[in-house]
């Protein structure tokens, strides 16, 4: 589709979450979710995780930023701590994986005692497995399968 803008975003390049407890958040996304850490660790102010190849050489990443990084726009004072959970502007993040791996996700969560819920979105054929990270952000592992489509 072309229009007057002359450009069209192709893929999500990065999602960044401000965090209060970098150690817990790095541990969760690396150990519970299984993302590959690219840069940084639990002591870093910024840690990047690889999600997928991405578009045009820009790897798709999840970035964790300690809430002290950066300043409020138009201000020279550091940012306040992050607002998470139901009070956050972030509803959830969704990471895609093959439908055949969703049973493994549920077995893994059961094994490590990670609470989750499963929802089916029949209008589009998705099933999502939802959990929360240590700071209350909802994380969905979502997959498409024709068997999830509503029957007409």
């Amino acid at each position: 589709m072309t229009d007057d803008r002359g450009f069209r975003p192709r893929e999500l390049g990065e999602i960044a979450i401000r965090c209060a407890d970098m150690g817990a958040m790095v541990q969760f996304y690396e150990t519970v979710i299984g993302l590959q850490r690219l840069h940084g660790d639990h002591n870093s102010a910024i840690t990047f995780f690889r999600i997928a190849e991405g578009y045009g050489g820009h790897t798709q990443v999840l970035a964790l930023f300690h809430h002290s990084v950066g300043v409020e726009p138009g201000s020279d004072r550091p940012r306040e701590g992050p607002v998470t959970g139901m009070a956050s502007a972030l509803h959830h993040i969704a990471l895609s994986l093959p439908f055949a791996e969703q049973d493994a996700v549920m077995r893994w969560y059961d094994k490590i005692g990670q609470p989750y819920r499963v929802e089916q979105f029949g209008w589009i054929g998705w099933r999502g497995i939802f959990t929360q990270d240590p700071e209350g952000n909802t994380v969905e592992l979502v997959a498409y399968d024709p068997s999830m489509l509503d029957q007409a």
Side-chain angles (χ1 to χ4, degrees):
M1 176 175 127
T2 58
D3 57 30
D4 293 339
R5 283 188 302 274
F7 69 88
R8 181 179 54 85
R10 301 306 196 276
E11 293 185 9
L12 180 66
E14 175 179 326
I15 187 159
I17 301 175
R18 286 193 303 133
C19 309
D21 185 342
M22 287 294 286
M25 294 290 278
V26 168
Q27 161 91 18
F28 175 82
Y29 284 99
E30 188 167 41
T31 305
V32 176
I33 300 299
L35 295 180
Q36 174 192 4
R37 187 167 9 117
L38 296 175
H39 179 76
D41 61 25
H42 66 281
N43 290 317
S44 301
I46 304 171
T47 301
F48 290 91
F49 293 93
R50 181 184 186 281
I51 296 172
E53 284 301 312
Y55 180 81
H58 186 289
T59 303
Q60 289 181 356
V61 298
L62 169 71
L64 302 179
F65 284 68
H66 189 267
H67 69 87
S68 63
V69 173
V71 296
E72 293 291 341
S75 172
D76 59 357
R77 64 185 175 88
R79 293 182 183 268
E80 300 293 323
V83 175
T84 61
M86 294 299 288
S88 172
L90 175 68
H91 186 272
H92 73 283
I93 64 171
L95 304 171
S96 299
L97 74 168
F99 184 77
E101 292 181 14
Q102 284 193 320
D103 285 341
V105 170
M106 291 181 275
R107 283 192 306 274
W108 173 245
Y109 285 174
D110 288 339
K111 179 179 180 177
I112 65 172
Q114 180 70 31
Y116 66 93
R117 75 179 194 286
V118 178
E119 289 187 37
Q120 182 176 329
F121 303 93
W123 65 275
I124 198 162
W126 295 346
R127 181 172 68 180
I129 303 169
F130 294 84
T131 193
Q132 288 190 327
D133 71 21
E135 296 195 359
N137 299 300
T138 300
V139 180
E140 176 187 13
L141 297 180
V142 65
Y144 169 82
D145 191 82
S147 70
M148 294 291 113
L149 288 167
D150 289 338
Q151 302 303 312

